[in-house]
């Protein structure tokens, strides 16, 4: 009994002291040390400020590939992917950002009703509509400037300063440097650099529970389970489907023609017009637009259930890649859908709630490299729909998060 206890203590000690330090120095191109530069691994809790000699140390416990980000006022943001396993002393020189003096100034923001409306749209798609999103507070909202293009129906956002997001649900203070944001026809794209810090030194029970709930069923969870070959054990069922155009729905050309014809006739689109058999060209135009609104653009055909591990992942020189044909339907069976997801964007129930969470995944660039932390190294290599699309920034966890297993 004592021997078993002794072995367990040795294993615990080895795990505790497996931490390593990534060291380096930040200076200008003229070798002037930059004190107070922010150095961190993107989307993690790992970060530090440089000292008076421009030096920094970043403690890491796992061997992963992270994006190192270095920022300092008046200099261009530095970013580089590094693997923490074989990283030597880092010497980083920042370029002066001369464009700051020459760039076009952001117009003065009017905090009127239009700004408030755009802010609400921004928060709904950026933070999301989950329960955790309700506990996210952007502390410097007035640093956001919005621009709406009516011709393209596109909303863009610019942040004068990094967003300070207090996440009371997960227990993080997140500094987010917004690089790009656009919302076009309900399709959202945003990118930036995030640094996570715990709100307190001791993690509350509520935060532990919420972090685990956010992790369960997430894309990070799926990718880690895929690499560990533990999908079934962790509650995932993965199916494969093909997507084809819905022939019953009018083409985009027919829809555009119907809109222009109604406009020329001085009419207003009346979807209450239920004429099954059109008597005039105007009736046909109304029916075309009604079908465009009611019928989906595509139809999905499931053709394989419980696809094998080998048809989702491939390796090149021991490097894992997410690699599959058509679309994946990833079903997480251990948690039900949230009420807000069932209600949809406009608050009307689109269907009955399910006891599982279903997400769709499609590759945009053939295949995508998977990092051991549980992310795709190229975030633009895949597109996610349904539940993963519903879980936006408020449900994201830092890459160095590890669930506590009993």
């Amino acid at each position: 009994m004592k021997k078993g206890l002794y072995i367990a203590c040795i294993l615990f000690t080895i795990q505790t002291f497996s931490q390593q330090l990534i060291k380096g120095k930040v200076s200008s191109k003229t070798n002037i040390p930059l004190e107070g530069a922010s150095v961190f691994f993107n989307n993690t809790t790992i970060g530090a400020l440089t000292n008076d000699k421009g030096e920094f140390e970043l403690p890491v416990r796992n061997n992963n590939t992270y994006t190192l980000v270095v920022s300092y006022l008046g200099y261009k943001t530095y970013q580089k992917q590094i693997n923490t396993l074989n990283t030597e002393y880092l010497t980083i020189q920042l370029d002066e950002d001369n464009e700051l003096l020459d760039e076009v100034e952001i117009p003065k923001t009017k905090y009127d009703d239009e700004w408030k409306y755009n802010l609400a749209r921004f928060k709904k798609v950026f933070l999301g509509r989950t329960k955790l999103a309700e506990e996210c507070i952007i502390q410097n909202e007035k640093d956001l400037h919005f621009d709406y293009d009516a011709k393209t129906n596109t909303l863009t956002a610019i942040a004068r300063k990094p967003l300070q997001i207090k996440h009371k649900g997960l227990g993080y203070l997140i500094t987010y440097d917004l690089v790009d944001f656009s919302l076009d026809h309900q399709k959202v794209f945003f990118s930036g650099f995030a640094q996570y810090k715990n709100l307190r030194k001791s993690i509350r029970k509520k935060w532990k529970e919420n972090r685990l709930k956010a992790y369960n069923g997430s894309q990070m969870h799926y990718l880690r389970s895929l690499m560990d070959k533990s999908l079934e054990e962790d509650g995932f069922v993965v199916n494969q489907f093909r997507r084809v155009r819905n022939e019953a729905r009018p083409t985009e050309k027919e829809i555009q023609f119907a809109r222009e014809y109604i406009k020329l006739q001085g009419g207003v689109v009346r979807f209450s017009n239920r004429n099954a058999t059109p008597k005039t060209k105007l009736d046909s135009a109304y029916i075309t637009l009604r079908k465009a609104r009611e019928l989906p653009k595509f139809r999905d055909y499931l053709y394989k259930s419980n696809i094998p591990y080998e048809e989702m992942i491939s390796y090149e020189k021991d490097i894992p890649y997410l690699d599959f044909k058509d679309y994946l339907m990833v079903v997480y069976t251990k948690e039900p859908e949230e009420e807000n997801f069932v209600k949809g964007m406009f608050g009307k129930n689109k269907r009955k709630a399910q006891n599982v969470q279903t997400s769709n995944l499609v590759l945009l660039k053939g295949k995508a490299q998977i990092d051991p932390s549980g992310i795709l190294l190229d975030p633009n290599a895949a597109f996610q729909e349904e539940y993963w699309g519903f879980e936006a920034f408020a449900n994201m966890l830092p890459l160095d998060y590890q669930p506590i297993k009993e």
Side-chain angles (χ1 to χ4, degrees):
M1 188 72 176
K2 290 182 179 178
K3 183 178 180 181
L5 180 60
Y6 177 69
I7 292 173
C9 288
I10 290 177
L11 292 174
F12 178 76
T13 304
I14 292 172
Q15 186 177 11
T16 302
F17 291 96
S18 63
Q19 177 175 288
Q20 60 175 322
L21 289 174
I22 305 296
K23 299 182 180 181
K25 181 178 180 179
V26 180
S27 64
S28 66
K29 286 292 185 181
T30 55
N31 290 320
I32 299 175
L34 298 179
E35 180 182 1
S38 178
V39 185
F40 62 95
F41 288 129
N42 188 32
N43 290 322
T44 72
T45 59
I46 307 168
L49 296 176
T50 55
N51 60 20
D52 57 351
K53 297 179 181 178
E55 298 171 333
F56 65 89
E57 293 182 350
L58 298 176
V60 292
R61 286 190 171 87
N62 301 306
N63 296 323
N64 286 318
T65 301
Y66 292 126
T67 299
L68 181 70
V69 181
V70 183
S71 62
Y72 191 77
L73 186 63
Y75 290 80
K76 293 181 179 179
T77 299
Y78 172 93
Q79 57 173 314
K80 182 182 180 180
Q81 281 190 349
I82 67 169
N83 189 298
T84 58
L85 180 61
N86 300 311
T87 300
E88 299 178 352
Y89 190 86
L90 298 169
T91 302
I92 300 168
Q93 292 186 322
L94 300 184
D95 294 316
E96 288 190 49
D97 195 353
N98 296 322
E99 294 179 1
L100 282 174
L101 299 175
D102 302 328
E103 67 181 357
V104 179
E105 291 187 4
I106 301 172
K108 186 176 180 180
T109 305
K110 295 180 180 180
Y111 303 107
D112 52 14
D113 289 341
E114 183 180 357
W115 180 85
K116 292 177 182 177
Y117 174 74
N118 288 331
L119 175 65
R121 292 183 67 195
F122 173 84
K123 290 165 67 174
K124 183 173 287 187
V125 296
F126 175 68
L127 297 176
R129 298 180 293 110
T130 63
K131 292 179 181 179
L132 286 174
E134 297 172 2
E135 301 198 59
C136 263
I137 301 172
I138 301 176
Q139 297 180 315
N140 56 331
E141 292 178 345
K142 291 192 174 181
D143 283 325
L144 283 165
H145 178 83
F146 302 105
D147 182 39
Y148 176 69
D149 188 338
K151 292 183 179 179
T152 60
N153 192 23
T154 302
L155 177 70
T156 57
I158 300 170
R160 291 183 173 87
K161 297 178 182 178
L163 299 178
Q164 299 298 317
I165 303 171
K166 186 176 182 180
H167 201 321
K168 296 188 294 182
L170 294 179
Y172 293 119
L173 178 62
I174 309 167
T175 300
Y176 190 78
D177 190 356
L178 183 68
V179 175
D180 191 14
F181 174 90
S182 63
L183 173 62
D184 177 16
H185 297 289
Q186 302 303 321
K187 290 184 179 180
V188 63
F189 171 82
F190 63 84
S191 63
F193 305 112
Q195 183 179 10
Y196 289 74
K197 293 181 180 178
N198 290 311
L199 286 177
R200 293 176 55 180
K201 289 184 179 179
S202 58
I203 309 301
R204 293 176 177 175
K205 181 181 178 182
K206 169 192 171 183
W207 294 341
K208 290 180 181 179
E209 293 173 349
N210 285 346
R211 291 177 186 183
L212 182 60
K213 187 175 178 64
Y215 174 76
N216 287 337
S218 66
Q219 182 175 291
M220 179 190 289
H221 187 191
Y222 161 71
L223 291 174
R224 289 180 180 179
S225 297
L226 179 63
M227 289 186 292
D228 292 341
K229 297 185 178 181
S230 60
L231 287 172
E232 184 177 355
E233 175 188 345
D234 291 345
F236 288 101
V237 175
V238 185
N239 305 320
Q240 200 166 22
F241 69 94
R242 185 177 295 109
R243 177 166 289 175
V244 298
R245 196 185 84 80
N246 184 3
E247 297 294 339
R249 188 178 189 270
T251 64
E252 293 301 318
K253 186 177 181 180
E254 290 171 335
I255 295 169
Q256 184 63 28
F257 178 82
R259 285 174 178 160
E260 291 177 357
Y261 185 80
I262 292 174
K263 187 176 180 181
L264 287 173
Q265 299 301 315
V268 178
V269 179
R270 296 189 298 271
F271 291 112
S272 58
N273 189 333
R274 311 301 296 183
N275 288 340
T277 304
K279 297 179 180 179
T280 65
K281 287 185 178 180
L282 191 59
D283 287 342
S284 297
Y286 284 137
I287 292 173
T288 297
L289 294 192
R290 189 182 73 235
K291 287 181 178 180
R293 187 191 68 157
E294 296 176 351
L295 298 177
K297 288 185 178 181
F298 303 98
R299 291 191 182 277
D300 297 338
Y301 295 93
L302 183 71
Y303 65 87
K304 186 177 290 188
S305 301
N306 291 309
I307 68 172
Y309 166 85
E310 295 78 11
E311 294 184 18
M312 286 183 277
I313 193 169
S314 63
Y315 286 85
E316 292 182 11
K317 297 180 180 179
D318 296 327
I319 298 175
Y321 287 84
L322 190 63
D323 189 3
F324 58 86
K325 295 180 180 180
D326 297 321
Y327 284 66
L328 289 188
M329 178 187 293
V330 183
V331 183
Y332 184 63
T333 62
K334 293 187 177 183
E335 283 185 10
E337 298 169 335
E338 280 194 23
E339 183 181 354
N340 282 347
F341 176 74
V342 180
K343 286 182 177 179
M345 183 68 75
F346 303 104
K348 295 182 179 180
N349 286 10
K350 52 184 181 181
R351 56 170 173 72
K352 292 183 179 180
Q354 305 292 318
N355 289 323
V356 298
Q357 298 171 357
T358 302
S359 305
N360 296 336
L361 188 64
V362 60
L363 292 173
L364 301 177
K365 299 180 180 181
K367 58 183 178 180
Q369 185 177 341
I370 308 172
D371 185 75
S373 62
I375 64 162
L376 300 178
L377 287 183
D378 180 1
N380 298 318
F383 182 74
Q384 54 193 29
E385 300 174 337
E386 295 297 320
Y387 209 79
W388 285 346
F390 165 72
E391 293 181 322
F393 185 84
N395 282 60
M396 293 181 182
L397 290 162
L399 302 183
D400 52 326
Y401 171 79
Q402 292 293 333
I404 299 174
K405 295 185 178 180
E406 304 248 343

